[in-house]
Amino acid sequence: MKKILCSVLALFLIIIISACGNKEVKEKMLYDRIPMIMVEGNLYLDTGNKMPVEIDDSAIIGTITSEVDGSETPTQNGQSNFGCVGAEYAYCDDGIVVMINNEWQFFRLEK
């Protein structure tokens, strides 16, 4: 009787651990896309680098006008997959910078 109880308990733990692992993998697959924005038909990918620059208002080329889900790729100009609708962006150092949380975040051109 004790062996059966231990076997059932072990099987139950294996099922629970498998279910939790699968959920995490599925969520990571859906939302593990790099933040990106489309500008003038080109995709720019987030580098994770903040740019300590001052951008003159005349250098701003647009604002994020729409968003897609974090698991999708933007398909329209001014569209991002990270939200921030209304955030300004400008060209800077072979890429663009986007104003996120009062800091310029550098995005590089997708190659």
Side-chain angles (χ1 to χ4, degrees):
M1 180 70 175
K2 196 173 190 181
K3 288 182 181 182
I4 293 173
L5 183 61
C6 287
S7 296
V8 169
L9 182 60
L11 182 60
F12 180 72
L13 287 173
I14 290 170
I15 291 170
I16 295 294
I17 291 169
S18 296
C20 291
N22 286 339
K23 181 180 177 189
E24 184 177 320
V25 169
K26 287 177 187 173
E27 286 178 1
K28 186 170 180 119
M29 286 173 52
L30 288 177
Y31 299 106
D32 200 23
R33 186 170 295 261
I34 190 166
M36 57 185 81
I37 182 172
M38 180 169 279
V39 177
E40 296 183 3
N42 295 307
L43 279 175
Y44 290 85
L45 310 177
D46 187 7
T47 64
N49 296 325
K50 298 194 181 343
M51 298 291 289
V53 296
E54 291 295 323
I55 301 294
D56 186 78
D57 286 344
S58 64
I60 294 172
I61 57 172
T63 60
I64 297 175
T65 56
S66 64
E67 62 183 297
V68 295
D69 188 76
S71 64
E72 298 177 46
T73 299
T75 58
Q76 301 172 10
N77 287 322
Q79 190 174 63
S80 76
N81 70 345
F82 57 90
C84 295
V85 172
E88 299 175 321
Y89 54 85
Y91 286 115
C92 180
D93 296 336
D94 297 325
I96 62 166
V97 288
V98 180
M99 179 59 78
I100 302 173
N101 296 325
N102 295 319
E103 295 183 293
W104 290 108
Q105 185 77 25
F106 185 70
F107 286 67
R108 67 171 172 77
L109 181 63
E110 179 185 52
K111 295 181 182 182

